[in-house]
Amino acid sequence: MSADREDFEQALDGLRAVRLRPEVLLEEVPAPTRLAPHAVALSAEVSDDPHGEAEPLATGRFVVLHDPAAPEPWEGEWRIVTYAKALVEPEVGQDPMVGQVGWSWLTDSLDDRGVGFAAEAGAVTCVISESFGALSDRPTTVELEIRASWSPLDDRVADHLQAWGDLLCTIAGLPPLPEGVTALPGRR
C-alpha cells in the first residue's frame, strides 16, 4: 500500500471511530470520485426523536478529500467540503446578520475543538418560504444552510468531523453540552 493511501486509511479509521451526540445519526455514503484520488463522505441527520420517526432537525454532509499532490487552492493535502441545513425560527430570517452568525457558528466550532484550518471558503444561505392562495394555511418557514470547505492543517480529520457535528447540533437548536463534555455516547 502506498504511503498516501496509508495516510488516508488511517484518517478513515479515525472518522469511523468518531461518536457524535446521540441525537446525530451518522452514516457513510458514496463519495465523489473525481475531486481527489481519495475521498470519503458521511451523511448526518439530527433528531430529538429516539424512534427516528419525526422529521430531522438538521441534515448535512461531510466529505474528506485527500490528494498527495496538494492542489494549490487547498494549501495542503487534505480538504473538507460540507453543508449543514436546518429549519430555524422565522425571526432568524429577518436578522441582517444571519450570514455572519451562521459562518461564526462554523469557525467557532472548529476553534472550540482546537483544530487548525486554512483556505476556508463558503456561503450561508437563508431561505424564507411563504405560502399564498390555496396554500396560505401553511406556516412561513425559514431554512438556514451553511456550505463550507476548508483545509485541515494536519491529518486529524476526525477532530474536524467532531467540530462539524457541533455545528450541525447548533443549527438544529440543540443546547450545548455541559462544560467540559466534548462528546456523549453517539450512534452510527
Side-chain angles (χ1 to χ4, degrees):
M1 182 181 314
S2 67
D4 60 301
R5 181 67 190 178
E6 189 173 316
D7 290 345
F8 180 73
E9 290 296 327
Q10 288 176 348
L12 190 56
D13 289 344
L15 288 172
R16 289 179 175 149
V18 167
R19 295 294 177 253
L20 300 176
R21 292 176 60 154
E23 299 93 345
V24 181
L25 175 61
L26 189 64
E27 64 181 345
E28 198 168 327
V29 295
T33 57
R34 298 181 185 179
L35 300 176
H38 310 289
V40 63
L42 302 167
S43 179
E45 289 187 350
V46 178
S47 176
D48 59 359
D49 176 9
H51 305 293
E53 296 171 7
E55 285 294 313
L57 300 171
T59 60
R61 181 157 300 193
F62 183 88
V63 178
V64 177
L65 306 171
H66 182 242
D67 187 343
E72 187 176 328
W74 291 11
E75 298 181 23
E77 295 182 10
W78 298 90
R79 189 75 178 164
I80 294 175
V81 180
T82 69
Y83 81 84
K85 66 180 179 177
L87 290 177
V88 294
E89 297 298 320
E91 56 272 7
V92 172
Q94 306 302 320
D95 187 340
M97 301 293 289
V98 69
Q100 293 172 345
V101 169
W103 189 254
S104 72
W105 287 340
L106 169 67
T107 57
D108 289 350
S109 295
L110 294 165
D111 290 340
D112 290 349
R113 290 287 178 168
V115 297
F117 59 96
E120 63 274 14
V124 177
T125 305
C126 190
V127 177
I128 301 170
S129 297
E130 295 182 73
S131 299
F132 300 93
L135 302 176
S136 64
D137 59 337
R138 291 185 180 175
T140 297
T141 60
V142 179
E143 184 178 74
L144 180 70
E145 181 177 89
I146 302 168
R147 290 188 174 271
S149 63
W150 64 91
S151 296
L153 297 180
D154 56 35
D155 63 357
R156 294 176 27 226
V157 294
D159 295 338
H160 291 261
L161 176 58
Q162 288 281 356
W164 178 78
D166 296 343
L167 167 69
L168 203 58
C169 290
T170 297
I171 71 167
L174 297 181
L177 291 172
E179 188 70 32
V181 176
T182 58
L184 295 172
R187 55 189 177 151
R188 204 72 162 151

